[in-house]
Amino acid sequence: MLRDVPELGDPAEIWVVSLATAEARRSAFAARAGSAALPWRFFDACTGLAEGMELDELAISRNKGRGLTRGEIGCYASHYSIWRDMVARGVRQAIILEDDTLVDWAYLDRLARADLHATGIDYLRLYAKRPTYQRVVRGDFLQHSRTVVELIGLAYGTQGYAITLDAAQRFVAHCRTVQRPIDDEMDRSWAHGVRNLALFPAPILEATVASDIGASRFAPKADPAFHSLRQKAWRRLERTRMRLLKARRLLER
């Protein structure tokens, strides 16, 4: 029952990002997905840049104080490739999951049938790693006590999200050049214009398994480019843009 939310003609495609060699993780996900009413498919995760993408190593050093791991680059390219495929095929809506997630399939069945773009939602996080500023956008979304909130700030994580063709087109245009990890880039709604919406409570959880991305990304930011006066000024500007977006959203209430 979608209540006042319009329905799609066909349910959203569901893709699960997973390394082709990750047999154990794939088997575990498939076992957990036994109750899924809708079809879903594995997407073979990239292990390097996809065709047409560029890596700006200096920008990465300035933004993160280190280089990206091979896993981070592959993760970035995987999500970018899915968006580009959506645009090429004109896919109206998709749900993207990673293979280390625990999924509320009953709720995702409703979400896959809802016309999100017609509801004013083009990108909807199903999970976030870190709390950040949020404001309520819509209550009781497809289920009693399930709320849509807008996040402003870095919430991190690409474990799961729903995305429409409109948002995929914007992300493809904005994210072709890699300048930071993909979740950092997707969170920057003040830069690309796609609202960072999320569900609360989250309908998926991240399983406790070893990460394919690697732990070196948590090392101290030692690169001199990160600590330059230019980059410190840029981070102040970034915080200002974030605060201005918060102010605009408060005025819209």
Side-chain angles (χ1 to χ4, degrees), residues 44-96:
D44 290 343
C46 300
T47 56
L49 290 178
E51 182 180 353
M53 294 177 63
E54 296 181 359
L55 188 71
D56 188 336
E57 294 183 353
L58 179 57
I60 293 168
S61 295
R62 288 172 173 165
N63 291 325
K64 301 303 293 183
R66 59 172 178 82
L68 296 188
T69 68
R70 181 181 178 184
E72 285 177 306
I73 293 172
C75 179
Y76 194 119
S78 298
H79 289 276
Y80 186 86
S81 296
I82 292 173
W83 306 331
R84 191 169 57 186
D85 178 65
M86 287 181 64
V87 173
R89 294 190 293 118
V91 175
R92 292 180 60 193
Q93 189 169 304
I95 295 175
I96 315 302

Side-chain angles (χ1 to χ4, degrees), residues 2-3 14 20 48 75 79 103 151 154 164 206 225 242:
L2 300 186
R3 299 181 183 177
I14 302 177
C75 179
H79 289 276
V103 179
L151 307 178
L154 299 179
T164 70
E206 182 181 25
M242 205 184 309

Side-chain angles (χ1 to χ4, degrees), residues 11-225:
E13 295 186 2
I14 302 177
W15 292 93
V16 181
V17 179
S18 177
L19 288 168
T21 56
E23 295 180 3
R25 289 174 66 139
R26 288 188 171 206
S27 295
F29 184 92
R32 295 194 299 268
S35 63
L38 291 174
W40 56 270
R41 299 170 68 181
F42 284 119
F43 175 87
D44 290 343
C46 300
T47 56
L49 290 178
E51 182 180 353
M53 294 177 63
E54 296 181 359
L55 188 71
D56 188 336
E57 294 183 353
L58 179 57
I60 293 168
S61 295
R62 288 172 173 165
N63 291 325
K64 301 303 293 183
R66 59 172 178 82
L68 296 188
T69 68
R70 181 181 178 184
E72 285 177 306
I73 293 172
C75 179
Y76 194 119
S78 298
H79 289 276
Y80 186 86
S81 296
I82 292 173
W83 306 331
R84 191 169 57 186
D85 178 65
M86 287 181 64
V87 173
R89 294 190 293 118
V91 175
R92 292 180 60 193
Q93 189 169 304
I95 295 175
I96 315 302
L97 304 171
E98 294 188 346
D99 65 0
D100 58 351
T101 50
L102 309 174
V103 179
D104 179 348
W105 286 105
Y107 186 83
L108 253 65
D109 182 74
R110 298 181 184 182
L111 184 64
R113 300 176 190 281
D115 188 339
L116 296 181
H117 182 72
T119 313
I121 298 172
D122 285 304
Y123 169 59
L124 185 63
R125 275 179 165 277
L126 308 181
Y127 181 83
K129 282 181 169 289
R130 193 179 80 171
T132 186
Y133 172 86
Q134 65 181 42
R135 71 181 188 103
V136 174
V137 172
R138 179 171 180 152
D140 295 334
F141 187 66
L142 306 179
Q143 181 185 34
H144 180 68
S145 297
R146 187 84 70 174
T147 302
V148 177
V149 298
E150 180 174 13
L151 307 178
I152 299 178
L154 299 179
Y156 298 118
T158 53
Q159 282 71 22
Y161 57 90
I163 186 169
T164 70
L165 180 59
D166 184 79
Q169 289 170 331
R170 294 191 187 196
F171 281 150
V172 165
H174 181 81
C175 299
R176 187 178 70 85
T177 300
V178 181
Q179 301 184 68
R180 52 181 60 80
I182 188 60
D183 51 348
D184 291 40
E185 198 67 83
M186 293 169 72
D187 280 341
R188 299 177 66 243
S189 53
W190 54 91
H192 51 62
V194 179
R195 289 198 303 168
N196 191 12
L197 302 180
L199 281 169
F200 181 85
I204 72 172
L205 293 174
E206 182 181 25
T208 304
V209 296
S211 172
D212 289 325
I213 293 180
S216 63
R217 66 192 189 278
F218 303 123
K221 303 181 186 302
D223 196 302

Side-chain angles (χ1 to χ4, degrees), residues 152 236 238-248:
I152 299 178
R236 285 196 293 271
E238 189 85 337
R239 288 192 292 270
T240 298
R241 295 175 73 187
M242 205 184 309
R243 286 193 290 267
L244 288 173
L245 180 58
K246 290 179 185 178
R248 287 200 299 272

